[in-house]
Amino acid sequence: MEDDALAEDLRRAIGELVRAVRTVDTMPPGEAAVLGHLDRSGPQTTAELAHRRGVTHQSAAKSVKELIAGGSVRAEPHADDGRKLLLHLTDTGRTRLQQERTRRATWLNTAIREALDGDERGQLRDCVPLLDRVTARINGA
């Protein structure tokens, strides 16, 4: 039962943290997610992006359409299947994504410095590898 309470407390705290950090975002979450996936995993089709994000093809396609129109993503015919388009992150998209990540990190860093003392920041730093391991386990790594 104690582990169940830990899991629920962690789920709630991380969920609230993610929602709080997203308040400084300047782009829609779907677009930020697409840019992030393309940055981490390289070129993909809209169907692959939808699958990885756990959204419908139509939802991913809407985000992709906006990103292409804004010059953050470019599409080219897929080498193995000419009916598909392979999506690439452009320099504009990479810059936009980096600005978004920097904005989030700066905002979060300020909150950490204001809310925690040096020892607490050290404790939080020690938790990051543990959270990474839990995330890797959830993702099947």
Side-chain angles (χ1 to χ4, degrees):
M1 188 63 158
E2 186 176 311
D3 287 344
D4 290 343
L6 171 61
E8 177 55 25
D9 289 347
L10 185 60
R11 184 208 58 77
R12 181 197 47 76
I14 290 174
E16 289 178 13
L17 176 64
V18 167
R19 285 186 291 281
V21 170
R22 285 185 178 158
T23 63
V24 298
D25 287 355
T26 61
M27 72 172 81
E31 291 180 26
V34 167
L35 293 179
H37 280 289
L38 292 174
D39 183 53
R40 286 186 302 276
S41 302
Q44 299 170 58
T45 65
T46 301
E48 290 167 333
L49 286 167
H51 176 73
R52 288 183 181 194
R53 291 188 51 226
V55 299
T56 64
H57 188 278
Q58 292 81 358
S59 176
K62 181 179 182 289
S63 295
V64 165
K65 180 180 176 184
E66 293 296 323
L67 290 166
I68 290 172
S72 294
V73 170
R74 68 178 168 79
E76 64 182 37
H78 195 286
D80 297 332
D81 185 346
R83 298 170 296 170
K84 297 179 182 178
L85 292 176
L86 197 57
L87 304 169
H88 297 264
L89 185 62
T90 65
D91 289 342
T92 299
R94 190 169 283 106
T95 298
R96 187 173 178 206
L97 179 62
Q98 188 55 50
Q99 288 170 341
E100 204 72 8
R101 287 174 173 168
T102 298
R103 185 178 298 103
R104 285 180 179 182
T106 300
W107 187 86
L108 184 55
N109 185 45
T110 299
I112 289 169
R113 281 187 290 113
E114 291 175 355
L116 305 177
D117 64 29
D119 289 340
E120 291 169 324
R121 287 192 301 271
Q123 291 173 351
L124 184 60
R125 189 175 296 108
D126 290 343
C127 291
V128 173
L130 301 176
L131 293 171
D132 286 340
R133 284 181 25 214
V134 171
T135 301
R137 175 65 177 97
I138 290 169
N139 289 332

